[in-house]
Amino acid sequence: MQTDELGKFIRELMPKLEAEERIVALEIYKGLAANGTISVAALADRTGLDPARVESIVLPWPGIFRDDRRDIVGFWGLTARPVSKHVLRINGQPRYAWCAWDCLLYPHSCVSRCR
């Protein structure tokens, strides 16, 4: 499989996101990168969306993990929890990719935007 074919295959596995959804997804990544967790209230503040709207966006998404307070602690391949041996250092803090592929994707698409 060629690199461009692999990229297309991976993109097709992900949900197609509308503008609001892309904003929420990026803010989740930023929150996980910076703090290791993010609440729906914090997402609402960061996006300017109503908390109920934020919840309605993230609720059906696969690959979201929450703690006992319902804060998001894992999202589409990134978490602060030691779930794998795939460690990313973001601003000196360890973050964990769920698999080796995530280590290739996130440094460019997420981490560089989290600064």
Side-chain angles (χ1 to χ4, degrees), residues 22-64:
R22 287 191 302 270
I23 292 166
V24 170
L26 181 58
E27 291 302 327
I28 292 172
Y29 282 127
K30 287 179 180 180
L32 292 178
N35 305 310
T37 182
I38 190 163
S39 68
V40 168
L43 282 170
D45 287 343
R46 288 178 173 206
T47 61
L49 298 172
D50 183 81
R53 177 65 184 135
V54 171
E55 186 64 41
S56 73
I57 289 171
V58 301
L59 189 62
W61 282 349
I64 290 190

Side-chain angles (χ1 to χ4, degrees), residues 25-34 75 78 88 90 102 104-115:
L26 181 58
E27 291 302 327
I28 292 172
Y29 282 127
K30 287 179 180 180
L32 292 178
F75 178 64
L78 185 67
L88 298 169
I90 303 174
D102 294 332
L104 298 173
L105 299 174
Y106 293 121
H108 175 69
S109 62
C110 170
V111 178
S112 63
R113 296 181 190 181
C114 294
R115 296 181 184 168

Side-chain angles (χ1 to χ4, degrees), residues 1-13 101:
M1 182 177 287
Q2 299 294 322
T3 304
D4 55 339
E5 293 171 327
L6 180 60
K8 182 181 179 198
F9 175 76
I10 292 170
R11 281 191 305 275
E12 288 174 357
L13 291 175
W101 285 110

Side-chain angles (χ1 to χ4, degrees), residues 72-85:
I72 297 170
V73 297
F75 178 64
W76 291 349
L78 185 67
T79 183
R81 309 258 169 110
V83 298
S84 75
K85 62 182 178 180

